[in-house]
Amino acid sequence: MAAETGTPTTLTLKSNDDELFSVAESAAILSVTIRNMVEDGCAGGVIPLDNVDGKTLASVITYMNGISAIPADEEKKKSYRDKFLSDKDFETLADMVLAANYLNMSCLMDAVSAKIAQVMEKKSVGWVRRKFGIENDYTPEEEAAVKEEHKWTFEGVETDDDN
Amino acid sequence: MGGGDDDDRISKLPDDILVDVISRLSLKEAGRTSVLSPRWKNVWKHTPFLNFDADDVLQKIMEHHSSKDLIKIEAPKYVEWVNSVVRAHKSPTLKEFKIRFHLDNKYESSITQWLEFAFSKQVERLELNHENFINPNEYYCLPDFSSFASCKSLKALSLVSVHVTDGAVEFFLRNCPLLEELTVCCSHKFLDLEVCGPSLVLKHLDLQHTYDFRTLKICAPFLTSLKVQITKGLLIENVPMLVDLSLTSYSVKGLISAISCCFSQLEVLCFSLTSINKEVMSEHGNFPEMPKLKKLFIEYKTCGYESLVRLMASLIRKSPSLEEFALQYNYFPPKVRKDRGVEEAMWFPNNHVKVFKLSSDYSRVSDVMVYIVGGILGNCAGLEKIIVDTSDGYFPVNDRHKIERRNKAKQQLEPQIPHHIEFVVL
């Protein structure tokens, strides 16, 4: 461990498309999945991450390095997360949330989920369908039945679909 | 996020991620996702957050000329809403279950079923707030609590305008090993309550507007914040972590004796004085030192300008580290004599105070405000900001009146405030 040897321990992560990445152990253990491997002593060689591609893993590692460089200050961490996610398109966010889920990184998962929810907030059903390309495969009768069953969700609701 | 996306990536995300996303929306918005497509029909039913928020309706009721009539129309709709969600809900556990509406004991059987539902799903945060238009004689009574045997997961419990007995509170304290926050407001069934025990992990206790105690004993080693009315029988001991205290008291003497054990550790003190008697004036000097106090909030719900000045001065004098001072003052006299005694009493030099906030219903203007702001300016050389909140007051006001009040406050106070001090009128 870093504290014993005086030099930071580095881990090697391998994406599912065989890209290799070096990352400081202190940053990588933000992932509970990786931390468990380290604690169980299975992080000696290369750690294969079968559910994450190279492009996403590179992004996640940028996040790991960035956030672990910030001292324990929740506000600064939050503003780093906001900035980190601000320019990501939905494709990337979807990849990130899946990776965060697989790597068990609750802080990143929370941030990405919140970001996706933010897009849906105060928007009409039609707007959300268009924005995310959701295919509506209800028949008109089925849709009317679901709307009737969930009538309460439309009461007192104002949507803001302009932006 | 880019425009339309043909392959409908979002619908391909696993259920638990979609549930995580929609759990961050309001319950109505989450429920509305059911209409997106069949893939989404049941996703919302797995949300562990059931917050039955009807703020828009509550606001309408507040502003309505006959609130009670509107409640008669809206309450059954609210109850039906909760019932239909409870019937549809599928998640095995609940993080949050919040009811906030004017509901009286007519709905007793529904409310009891909701509680049983929430406890059967190991709810972590439970709120039952029946709001303020309900006559206490018609409050919902918390039923035989032994039926809530599965309350082990409870971390926060809030019961407002609900009849709760001391036995029920003590049951929850005994049976919920994780309970950190407890709020019981406006209940009228308490007699002798003990919030005590070596295994209590309670951090926040709020017993505001609950007056009928004969005795109240608080002995909680992890308690950090406490809101309570002072009564004769209040006994506080073994609260080494307590830093944030809110009290309502009829007398300063009662306050000092009740909390003598924790004055020196307080960081935030909110002190609401509801009536004045001769004793008050002579007791002011007896406040113990509060070396750690950073925020002081005085809610002065009584008349007597001189007495307020003396109270303010003696509290600030005993708080050398004070950074923020807030005063809420509505029962002021229209005219005040510029009395020498009062001016001399306005002496509490303190260089740490940075922010002063004055909350008052500016429906009328009094010189008192000028004197108070002048007193603060004269004593607090390090002051950086003055906030005047004119929105305070019992009755809701329309937008035109709000603007008028703000203008009155600005015109009255701005001339005396130096330019280097930020002046904000709310």
Side-chain angles (χ1 to χ4, degrees), chain B residues 155-171:
Chain B
K155 289 182 183 159
L157 174 65
S158 172
L159 302 164
V160 179
S161 300
V162 172
H163 275 318
V164 188
T165 60
D166 0 284
V169 171
E170 286 167 13
F171 172 84

Side-chain angles (χ1 to χ4, degrees), chain B residues 134-330:
Chain B
I134 303 299
N135 179 335
N137 296 326
E138 292 164 2
Y139 277 180
Y140 170 77
C141 289
L142 203 67
D144 181 14
F145 29 90
S146 56
S147 59
F148 304 140
S150 53
C151 61
K152 294 264 181 289
S153 313
L154 205 59
K155 289 182 183 159
L157 174 65
S158 172
L159 302 164
V160 179
S161 300
V162 172
H163 275 318
V164 188
T165 60
D166 0 284
V169 171
E170 286 167 13
F171 172 84
F172 286 117
L173 290 173
R174 248 194 338 269
N175 289 285
C176 309
L178 306 175
L179 192 66
E180 290 188 354
E181 291 172 42
L182 176 64
T183 302
V184 182
C185 288
C186 311
S187 181
H188 294 261
K189 292 272 181 192
F190 283 137
L191 289 171
D192 302 288
L193 181 62
E194 283 197 14
V195 182
C196 298
S199 60
L200 277 190
V201 293
L202 200 65
K203 287 186 182 154
H204 308 282
L205 177 62
D206 181 349
L207 298 171
Q208 290 188 106
H209 309 291
T210 300
Y211 302 92
D212 298 346
F213 294 113
R214 270 194 317 239
T215 59
L216 169 61
K217 188 176 169 195
I218 296 168
C219 172
F222 296 101
L223 198 68
T224 60
S225 89
L226 172 64
K227 293 181 175 152
V228 71
Q229 253 84 29
I230 290 279
T231 55
K232 275 182 206 152
L234 178 69
L235 180 65
I236 302 180
E237 48 181 43
N238 190 20
V239 284
M241 311 282 272
L242 187 66
V243 289
D244 182 350
L245 181 62
S246 289
L247 296 145
T248 298
S249 176
Y250 294 109
S251 81
V252 176
K253 194 176 174 183
L255 166 84
I256 294 174
S257 70
I259 60 166
S260 56
C261 73
C262 54
F263 265 116
S264 62
Q265 66 200 50
L266 291 182
E267 290 170 19
V268 180
L269 175 63
C270 168
F271 175 36
S272 173
L273 197 66
T274 51
S275 82
I276 196 100
N277 55 36
K278 282 187 185 142
E279 163 268 332
V280 172
M281 305 277 275
S282 59
E283 290 293 334
H284 284 174
N286 296 347
F287 271 104
E289 192 86 5
M290 293 180 281
K292 293 186 178 165
L293 199 71
K294 296 219 161 52
K295 290 186 187 180
L296 172 65
F297 176 40
I298 300 179
E299 203 181 347
Y300 200 69
K301 292 182 166 174
T302 175
C303 36
Y305 168 63
E306 181 177 350
S307 179
L308 167 66
V309 169
R310 290 184 192 282
L311 177 70
M312 215 165 82
S314 62
L315 277 166
I316 297 178
R317 275 204 295 266
K318 300 286 177 163
S319 316
S321 316
L322 194 67
E323 289 173 6
E324 256 188 78
F325 173 53
L327 172 67
Q328 187 182 30
Y329 186 36
N330 278 324

Side-chain angles (χ1 to χ4, degrees), chain B residues 57-74 102 133:
Chain B
V57 183
L58 292 177
Q59 187 65 29
K60 267 186 215 153
I61 289 172
M62 267 282 278
E63 289 164 2
H64 198 262
H65 63 278
S66 171
S67 299
K68 297 223 159 165
D69 290 338
L70 193 54
I71 291 172
K72 272 189 200 137
I73 300 168
E74 293 294 340
H102 310 278
F133 276 109

Side-chain angles (χ1 to χ4, degrees), chain A residues 95 113 122 129 137-138 152, chain B residues 9 20 29 34-35 81:
Chain A
D95 289 333
S113 289
K122 294 196 169 62
R129 273 186 198 137
D137 28 24
Y138 279 127
W152 55 270
Chain B
R9 186 80 200 277
D20 190 50
E29 286 179 318
S34 59
V35 185
W81 174 31

Side-chain angles (χ1 to χ4, degrees), chain A residues 88-95 97-98 101 109-126 128-138 142-143 146-147 149-150 152-157 159, chain B residues 1-14 16-42 44-45 52 56-57 60 77 80-81 84-85 88:
Chain A
K88 304 280 186 283
D89 61 12
F90 180 69
E91 274 303 296
T92 312
L93 289 178
D95 289 333
V97 78
L98 285 167
N101 192 30
M109 225 188 119
D110 273 359
V112 181
S113 289
K115 171 110 184 163
I116 300 173
Q118 211 178 38
V119 177
M120 302 170 99
E121 238 169 36
K122 294 196 169 62
K123 296 294 192 288
S124 69
V125 170
V128 174
R129 273 186 198 137
R130 284 194 300 281
K131 183 78 180 178
F132 291 98
I134 296 171
E135 194 184 329
N136 173 21
D137 28 24
Y138 279 127
E142 281 169 345
E143 184 169 339
V146 176
K147 271 192 175 161
E149 190 190 327
H150 296 86
W152 55 270
T153 68
F154 293 91
E155 277 160 15
V157 169
T159 52
Chain B
M1 240 166 286
D5 179 341
D6 293 337
D7 71 350
D8 193 0
R9 186 80 200 277
I10 192 167
S11 299
K12 295 192 182 90
L13 289 173
D16 50 350
I17 293 180
L18 289 184
V19 171
D20 190 50
V21 169
I22 58 125
S23 296
R24 292 154 203 275
L25 299 170
S26 72
L27 183 55
K28 282 190 180 178
E29 286 179 318
R32 217 178 319 145
T33 59
S34 59
V35 185
L36 288 170
S37 77
R39 162 77 182 95
W40 290 80
K41 189 178 169 194
N42 292 318
W44 76 272
K45 295 175 186 170
F52 295 90
D56 47 339
V57 183
K60 267 186 215 153
K77 288 191 206 163
E80 185 39 44
W81 174 31
S84 69
V85 170

